[in-house]
């Protein structure tokens, strides 16, 4: 029997690219896209409205569609979680616990994203190892560390097949940028294309780990497709491709938009960025299940610019 897949947070940055990728692989009718807010519409998607903090609602959905796998993406990211830490706790951890409990009950395979936000100021910033100090200082990071440990606990205690990646800052053109810290690297493209200028909320030299969405989607589905015995980390895998600072992406984008100007106005997100590592060592993902990214900064910038320019013309 084929897979029936539930994607929560389907209209977020990752979901907007992951849903079509899963549809291509498993068939449109086999991917159920869960959304929460109004205004999420897609003529070709199988949609359900729901809330991941509503366990019985999720239970009904899983039974109704005969779900076999969940990509649990719904959650608040870094800046959004600092604005509403109470909601972040309830949504990010309450939602995850509901998904894990229901997945044990219905024997589902689960993907859940962690993030480089699981690291904190005491973590080594260069070549950040897989197993290292996890003392984040943001609510989002606290949620990610607790979530990683919860995933591993469910694997060890209940044999749940739950897999996870520590996403770096992701750059994609399908969804609008969310309320995060690395999202400047998406917003700069909107500024460049619409107005030829951008004001960055981080300092020019704030190096952070980043990745193009196409690589992130491939890594995510490759991890889910990997044979069980190849998945050795059950907290969350370090996952990397490139690292750059606002100044680096500005100079790269300026090659495509010669008149582009940038100003810097760091805000509360600077402190969040300062607490995260700069370069991640993802050798365990490469060794265990063959992770290998395709895009570097120039290739990503060109592809992102072309696709977003096309999208914004419509
Ligand atoms: C954020 N883009 O900035 C997210 C991400 C690695 C960072 O989780 O909050």
């Amino acid at each position: 029997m084929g897979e029936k897949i539930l994607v929560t947070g389907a209209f977020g940055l990752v979901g907007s690219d992951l849903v079509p990728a899963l549809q291509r692989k498993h068939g449109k009718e086999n991917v159920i896209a869960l959304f929460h807010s109004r205004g999420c519409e897609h003529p070709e998607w199988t949609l359900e409205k729901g809330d991941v903090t509503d366990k019985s609602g999720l239970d009904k959905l899983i039974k109704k569609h005969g779900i076999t796998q969940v990509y649990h993406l719904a959650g608040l990211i870094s800046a959004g979680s600092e604005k509403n830490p109470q909601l972040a706790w309830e949504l990010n951890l309450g939602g995850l616990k509901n998904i894990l409990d229901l997945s044990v009950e219905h024997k589902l395979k689960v993907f859940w994203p962690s993030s480089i936000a699981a690291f904190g100021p005491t973590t080594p910033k260069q070549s950040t190892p897989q197993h290292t100090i996890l003392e984040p200082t943001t609510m989002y990071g606290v949620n990610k560390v607790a979530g990683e440990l919860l995933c591993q606990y469910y694997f060890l205690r209940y044999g749940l097949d739950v897999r996870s990646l520590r996403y770096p800052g992701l750059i994609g053109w399908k969804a609008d940028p969310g309320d995060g810290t690395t999202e400047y690297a998406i917003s700069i493209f909107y500024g460049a294309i619409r107005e030829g200028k951008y004001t960055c909320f981080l300092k020019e030299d704030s190096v952070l780990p980043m990745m193009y969405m196409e690589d992130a989607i491939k890594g995510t589905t490759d991890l889910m497709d990997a044979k069980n015995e190849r998945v050795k980390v059950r907290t969350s895998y370090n996952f990397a491709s490139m690292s750059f600072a606002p100044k680096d992406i500005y100079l790269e984008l300026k090659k495509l938009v010669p008149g582009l100007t940038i100003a810097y106005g760091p805000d509360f997100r600077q402190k969040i960025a300062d607490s995260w590592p700069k370069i991640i060592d993802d050798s365990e993902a490469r060794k265990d299940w063959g992770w290998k990214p395709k895009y570097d900064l120039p290739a990503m910038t060109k592809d992102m610019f072309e696709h977003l320019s096309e999208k914004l013309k419509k």
Side-chain angles (χ1 to χ4, degrees), residues 77-78 115-116 140 167-169 180-183 276:
I77 55 173
S78 62
S115 155
I116 55 157
Y140 179 56
Y167 282 154
T181 302
T182 60
E183 266 68 9
W276 291 347

Side-chain angles (χ1 to χ4, degrees), residues 49-296:
K49 187 168 177 359
D51 185 335
V52 296
T53 62
D54 168 17
K55 193 173 176 188
S56 76
L58 283 176
D59 189 41
K60 285 194 191 101
L61 265 180
I62 290 168
K63 287 182 186 142
K64 176 179 164 191
H65 293 281
I67 297 298
T68 60
Q69 285 190 6
V70 187
Y71 288 77
H72 175 45
L73 308 176
L76 282 184
I77 55 173
S78 62
S81 297
E82 288 316 298
K83 289 177 195 159
N84 196 341
Q86 303 303 326
L87 178 65
W89 181 271
E90 281 156 33
L91 178 57
N92 292 349
L93 284 174
L96 176 61
K97 180 146 188 312
N98 285 341
I99 293 286
L100 295 177
D101 284 333
L102 290 167
S103 297
V104 171
E105 193 180 324
H106 297 287
K107 300 191 168 46
L108 315 182
K109 185 171 176 177
V110 185
F111 175 82
W112 172 75
S114 184
S115 155
I116 55 157
F119 303 119
T122 52
T123 307
K125 287 199 184 298
Q126 305 285 344
S127 287
T128 307
Q130 174 67 47
H131 301 285
T132 186
I133 301 167
L134 300 174
E135 295 179 337
T137 47
T138 63
M139 179 49 106
Y140 179 56
V142 170
N143 295 166
K144 289 304 191 193
V145 174
E148 286 190 9
L149 294 173
L150 199 60
C151 287
Q152 178 177 252
Y153 180 81
Y154 274 64
F155 170 73
L156 296 171
R157 174 79 200 256
Y158 305 111
L160 181 69
D161 190 357
V162 50
R163 304 175 179 201
S164 178
L165 295 170
R166 289 174 178 151
Y167 282 154
L170 299 181
I171 300 156
W173 53 271
K174 287 201 175 133
D176 292 341
D179 204 0
T181 302
T182 60
E183 266 68 9
Y184 85 84
I186 302 176
S187 301
I188 191 171
F189 285 91
Y190 285 81
I193 294 165
R194 287 185 170 143
E195 307 173 89
K197 62 178 185 186
Y198 178 64
T199 301
C200 185
F201 55 75
L202 296 184
K203 288 192 280 197
E204 64 172 3
D205 57 353
S206 288
V207 174
L208 288 169
M210 298 279 186
M211 185 181 290
Y212 195 37
M213 189 59 77
E214 195 181 309
D215 276 335
I217 298 298
K218 180 159 188 313
T220 302
T221 51
D222 282 358
L223 174 64
M224 282 297 266
D225 291 344
K227 290 214 168 66
N228 226 359
E229 60 271 21
R230 298 192 69 174
V231 184
K232 300 199 172 113
V233 173
R234 291 292 181 162
T235 49
S236 188
Y237 273 101
N238 279 9
F239 185 54
S241 68
M242 61 183 104
S243 285
F244 60 78
K247 193 172 83 188
D248 304 320
I249 190 170
Y250 164 67
L251 291 174
E252 197 56 45
L253 193 48
K254 203 170 152 59
K255 293 180 191 162
L256 304 170
V257 184
L260 179 63
T261 60
I262 190 162
Y264 296 94
D267 65 12
F268 74 102
R269 288 167 283 195
Q270 184 64 50
K271 200 170 148 204
I272 299 176
D274 289 342
S275 77
W276 291 347
K278 296 180 188 301
I279 297 173
I280 303 289
D281 175 354
D282 64 355
S283 50
E284 298 218 11
R286 291 175 188 248
K287 174 170 61 75
D288 289 356
W289 47 274
W291 162 240
K292 192 168 182 273
K294 184 169 135 197
Y295 285 87
D296 58 8

